[in-house]
């Protein structure tokens, strides 16, 4: 009905790797292309729906479970979901994937080294983690496991934001947009 498939592009990567920035820019492009999409951002979830959760492994898994449930609701409504969430463990990402049909789920690894993420430190969180003020911070006092076989990798350390946005937008359009007969005739 919308001219595109629904599904979720699940962004994983270290804090500061550019997940949310990338999602926001890709969303703008997709909306221009007529793709109904939304962002389910980890930071916004933590401030609103998941304000009762901390950063223990159990709380992190519950945070991701809730994000998956919300994503499923949007998928049922025919919306494409961009979900920038750290999702630090392979095991938790594997559990999350089980909530979705395989054709509805894309795991996107936003690749960026810890050193570069820490240098960017857009919210000052790495500094707080290094000072010991912020506990269980991914990449410093809590581990991050890069995906072993993501569906797609976007390297924000070595490529410009514009290049990464173009690359991901092209990927999403080629995998989620339904070509009409008129487009095929051109």
């Amino acid at each position: 009905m919308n001219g595109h498939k629904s599904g979720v592009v699940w962004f994983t990567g270290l804090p500061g790797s550019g997940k949310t920035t990338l999602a926001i820019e890709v969303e703008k492009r997709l909306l221009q292309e007529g793709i109904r999409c939304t962002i389910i951002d980890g930071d916004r979830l933590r401030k609103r729906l998941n304000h009762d959760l901390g950063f223990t492994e159990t709380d992190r898994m519950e945070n991701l479970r809730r994000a998956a449930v919300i994503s499923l609701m949007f998928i049922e409504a025919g919306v494409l979901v961009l979900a920038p969430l750290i999702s630090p463990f392979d095991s938790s990402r594997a559990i999350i994937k089980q909530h979705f049909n395989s054709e509805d789920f894309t795991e996107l690894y936003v690749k960026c080294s810890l050193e570069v993420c820490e240098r960017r430190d857009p919210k000052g969180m790495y500094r707080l983690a290094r000072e010991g003020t912020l506990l269980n911070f991914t990449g410093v006092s809590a581990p991050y496991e890069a995906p072993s076989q993501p569906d797609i990798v976007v390297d924000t350390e070595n490529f410009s934001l514009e290049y990464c946005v173009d690359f991901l937008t092209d990927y999403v359009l080629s995998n989620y947009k339904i070509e009409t007969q008129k487009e095929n005739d051109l």
Side-chain angles (χ1 to χ4, degrees):
M1 183 169 72
N2 292 323
H4 62 83
K5 301 174 199 169
S6 59
V8 62
V9 178
W10 197 276
F11 296 54
T12 180
L14 286 165
S17 61
K19 296 177 301 298
T20 300
T21 301
L22 185 58
I24 290 168
E25 295 305 315
V26 169
E27 179 190 41
K28 289 176 189 174
R29 296 262 188 96
L30 293 176
L31 290 170
Q32 289 173 346
E33 291 288 331
I35 304 290
R36 290 183 59 214
C37 57
T38 193
I39 296 174
I40 296 177
D41 176 62
D43 288 340
R44 290 190 353 216
L45 280 177
R46 288 237 176 234
K47 288 178 185 168
R48 296 177 181 152
L49 177 66
N50 296 340
H51 63 88
D52 59 324
L53 300 174
F55 290 92
T56 65
E57 191 170 340
T58 301
D59 283 354
R60 286 174 186 264
M61 190 59 220
E62 178 59 15
N63 181 55
L64 296 176
R65 187 196 68 78
R66 292 178 189 181
V69 169
I70 294 167
S71 297
L72 285 165
M73 293 169 69
F74 274 106
I75 289 170
E76 289 171 2
V79 177
L80 177 67
V81 177
L82 305 173
L85 298 134
I86 295 170
S87 312
F89 303 111
D90 258 337
S91 59
S92 60
R93 290 189 301 266
I95 291 168
I96 294 304
K97 284 181 191 180
Q98 293 174 2
H99 286 80
F100 300 90
N101 294 324
S102 61
E103 67 272 4
D104 294 341
F105 187 90
T106 299
E107 182 181 54
L108 164 66
Y109 175 37
V110 181
K111 183 179 176 184
C112 189
S113 69
L114 177 62
E115 296 75 26
V116 170
C117 290
E118 198 163 349
R119 201 167 41 240
R120 290 176 180 169
D121 202 11
K123 299 171 193 160
M125 297 176 83
Y126 280 100
R127 181 183 49 78
L128 294 173
R130 294 287 181 202
E131 292 170 354
T133 307
L134 185 58
L135 303 178
N136 294 319
F137 187 71
T138 304
V140 177
S141 53
Y144 177 77
E145 299 170 355
S148 54
Q149 295 183 341
D151 298 306
I152 184 172
V153 177
V154 175
D155 184 341
T156 61
E157 180 173 344
N158 294 303
F159 295 96
S160 70
L161 175 61
E162 184 177 347
Y163 178 85
C164 293
V165 170
D166 288 346
F167 179 78
L168 183 54
T169 300
D170 289 348
Y171 175 87
V172 171
L173 289 174
S174 68
N175 285 281
Y176 288 95
K177 190 168 185 177
I178 298 170
E179 291 187 41
T180 63
Q181 185 61 40
K182 184 178 179 182
E183 289 172 335
N184 287 332
D185 291 341
L186 296 176

